[in-house]
Each structure stands twice: as structure tokens, then as C-alpha cells.
Amino acid sequence: MRLESLSALLLSAGLAAQAPTIPPSWHGAALPQAFFAGNRARLLEKIRAMGPGTLAVLASMPLQPRNGDGLHAYRQDSDFYYFTGLEEAESVALLDGDAAKPFTLLVRAGDPRRERYDGARIGTAGAVQRFGADQAERFPAGEATLKAAVQKATRVVLICNFDDPFRLKVLDWIYPLGADNNHGSFRRSLVDGRNLAAEMRLIKQPAELAMLQNAVDASIEGHLAAMRGTRTSTNEGQVAALFEGTVRSLGGRFLGYDSIVGAGNQACTLHYSRNDQPLKAGSLLLMDAATEVGYYTADITRTWPVGGTFSPEQRALYELVLKAQNAAIALCGPGRAHREGYAAAMRILSDGLVDLGLLKGEKEELFRKEAHLPFTLHGVSHWLGMDVHDSGDYRRVPGSKGGDRLLEPGMVLTVEPGLYIPEGMEGVDLRWHGIGVRLEDDILVTAEGPKNLSERLPRRIEEVERLVQGAKPRR
Ligand SMILES: [Mn+2]
């Protein structure tokens, strides 16, 4: 049948409106070079403010062996990417606060044989033309340039998260071993620049928020596919595959973190990621999974019944977690301490556990003693961005109240309370055993208050049940 006639047929039958909509995809999504240049300009301003002779040195993520002669898939260091947009390994970026042309990229030497295996390397021309470097050099010559620049500087701001050998090399150039370091350190100092980068990354720019929303949207589609496909699955692995296949097909090249897909008792293991156990009838499934798009990741958790219907115990715990989550989300407005949401959520969970008979005693006293902790286990928020637990200090900054940082527009954080009752938990009636519930959404702080970026993914029990029941029951 020709395509036109098929769509005509669908239209005449009134079916076109019911055809599944294909969500947009984000294959190859990346922020524009102007974004990275803007970040470099702001970093340059900060290092110039430190005084003359300041040089920033940024290290890329080292290659990571996996097994045998195989490597883990390469993913650039978040800080390095934020300031360069460059995804190539074994690169170094320099920003010289004194120079009129401050940005130097040092990139890998050409290797025709390796390049036949791994693809072309960017080279010095690519570094200048595509990545905006003022000048570029290839190793090994680049190493002499780097050493000279470090030794000429009076202050080196090092932004190096994971490349320990590189850090030691730079340290040795600054304070040569066996030399008169006491004397040397008067001339040259080292500043750890990681907090500088973290503070910049904490407030998201509009372009970053758009990319983060792409990651959230793709992750929502993955969650919907997993929920709809649970009743026709027999193993956690199949549900994980529905999520992961969906986000990959939408352009999520990497997951933001290993998917957690745990049914029944496995839902009580916070970082469970084997995802290989059979789905037992009557159990709840907890899925904490998200994709990264263009170096920004979502972080979303939903919990649903594998058979499509919550039992009374599952329902009671779920409703409690949902209530706690909504209360904490409402407190993600500007000017709030990020921990206010935690306190509100814990109060609701603690009182609710008493109401359900899971904690026994006087509410005020139990809350004060944190008797809920064996059930709640973890905090409810963390920053979100390029890293799932994004960089940025939670405390000790000017203007903070009670030692905590106050929320500002442009910050993004998760809100994810949970309750966990593993098999064998002492002092708890057996009917509650093997239930783990967590709900997690991604919240943008705006001047008008909290904005839930993952709102579209249902949380209310009736909606969740309807979604899961949409599929045919499994045999
Ligand atoms: Mn999280």
C-alpha cells in the first residue's frame, strides 16, 4: 500500500489522531561554541581578579581501562567540557590571565594508525577553527609549552578532577622535588580551581536549562515505556531494557548513571543495579533511571506495582512518600535553605510511620530522636546538572543561614524521599516486608518558585495504575 493511501485510510477511519506520537529526538545534541566561550570569558575574569601572573590549567578525563585491552566508553570530564566543549581525551586547556590571546589548547599528536581505529583526532587546526583556541599545540611539543607556562606563572589555578598523574606533574613543575621549595613557594602558588568551576556550574544558564529539559523529556519517555511494558515483562532486565532502549533511540548517548530497576526486596537496596531478578507477582518495582543528553542528565525515580494494582500496604507507603515529596518540592523556592525540604519531608514520613503503626510512641519524641532514619535512609536533595550529583557547595557560603546555602533562581535540585522496609527488618510486621518506595523529580528554582521539570511523568496512584494496566497482563 502506498503511503498516501495508508494515511488517507487512517484519516477516514479517524485513526490518525490515535497513531502514537513520535517524541522529538536529540541525537548529537550539543550546546553551541558561544556557550563554552562565554564560560571561558567568565573564568578568565575570575582568574584576572586574583592578580597578575595567574594561569588556569584544565585537565581532561583520563582514559579508563575496563578489562583486557578494552576501555570504558569515553566521556569527557564535566568541568573540562564546560569550559571547552571538547570531547577528546588527553587534552589540556590553558587560560593565561596576562595574555591578549589567552586560550591555548594542547591536543593529542596525530597517529594515522590509531586514527584508522578510533577516528580522526582534532589536531591543532581543529582546536583553533572548531573550538576557538587562540593557539594550539600537539604533544609532545605541547608539554614544553605547558611546563614553560606553569613555571612563568605566579599563580596556577588547577582544575583537574581525575587525572592524578597530570596533577602530580603540574605540582612538580610548581614545586620541583628536591629544590628549595620553601623559597620556591614564595614565587609561585597553586590554587585548586575546582570550587571555582563548581560555583559557576551551580547556576544554570538558559541554554543549559534547555538541554537539561531535553534529558528530562527523553527520560520521561523511557519511564513511560518501562511502566507500560512491565506487565508483559518477567524480569527486571526487560524493564531496564525498555527504559534504556527508549532513551537511546531518542538520542541519549549515555545514561546519567547506572539504571536502578529493583522489584520487591531489591527496591530496598539504594544503589541496586544488577537488574536481573524475576518480577514477582504482587511486588512493587522501583526504577531510578535517567539519560544524559548533550552532557546534562536528568535523575528520575518512579515506583509502581508490577501487576498494575497497589496492595493496601504498598499504597499506604506510596501515599506517604508522595505527600512528603510534594511538601519538599513546595519548599524549593528562592531564599529557602536547601535543607528545609528535607526537614519537612522527614516530619511527614515520621508522623506517617506512627499513624501506620510502624513506629510506636509519641510523635514529637520519635521525630526528635530520628526514629524514622532506618526507614528513610537518605537525604532528599542534591544538585543536578552535568553530573547527576552535580558540583557545588551545599553550605558555608556568604549569605547562608544556619550554615546552609540558600536557593537561588537557576539552581536545579532533585527531591527524592523514600521509605524502605527490607525483608527481615526487625520489629516490623511481615506484611510490610519487601517494599521500597522512592519518588524523585527534578526541580528548577525560579524567581516565581519551584518548577518541576519532570512533572509530566505521573505520580498519582490512579494515573500510575492506569498506565501500568494499559498493557496486557502477562501470562
Ligand atoms: Mn537522585
Side-chain angles (χ1 to χ4, degrees), residues 69-118:
D69 62 353
L71 300 174
H72 279 287
Y74 188 74
R75 196 260 191 208
Q76 187 57 277
D77 178 75
S78 295
D79 283 338
F80 191 83
Y81 188 77
Y82 185 80
F83 292 110
T84 65
L86 176 57
E87 296 191 79
E88 195 164 292
E90 297 172 304
S91 310
V92 175
L94 300 179
L95 279 179
D96 183 343
D98 289 352
K101 294 184 167 188
F103 179 34
T104 305
L105 268 178
L106 307 169
V107 297
R108 292 194 286 205
D111 181 340
R113 190 178 141 75
R114 261 326 321 159
E115 288 177 56
R116 289 301 301 272
Y117 281 78
D118 305 330

Side-chain angles (χ1 to χ4, degrees), residues 288 299 382 388-389 414 416 440:
D288 184 342
D299 187 7
H382 54 77
V388 61
H389 298 160
T414 65
E416 49 171 320
E440 175 173 35

Side-chain angles (χ1 to χ4, degrees), residues 21-27 214 217-218 221 249-251:
T21 51
I22 299 164
S25 75
W26 298 278
H27 293 275
N214 294 342
D217 289 342
E221 295 301 327
S249 75
L250 292 175

Side-chain angles (χ1 to χ4, degrees), residues 112-152:
R113 190 178 141 75
R114 261 326 321 159
E115 288 177 56
R116 289 301 301 272
Y117 281 78
D118 305 330
R121 297 180 173 186
I122 67 156
T124 50
V128 171
Q129 285 153 22
R130 288 167 49 208
F131 294 92
D134 295 313
Q135 52 272 318
E137 275 194 51
R138 285 191 174 199
F139 290 109
E143 177 145 331
T145 304
L146 179 60
K147 182 177 178 182
V150 165
Q151 295 195 326
K152 197 185 103 205

Side-chain angles (χ1 to χ4, degrees), residues 317-335:
L317 293 177
Y318 187 98
E319 292 285 16
L320 195 48
V321 171
L322 180 58
K323 188 178 169 196
Q325 195 204 17
N326 282 329
I329 289 173
L331 290 169
C332 292

Side-chain angles (χ1 to χ4, degrees), residues 364-376:
E364 203 62 46
E365 168 78 358
L366 288 166
F367 180 64
R368 198 178 48 74
K369 286 183 358 200
E370 298 189 299
H372 53 272
L373 286 183
F375 297 90
T376 62

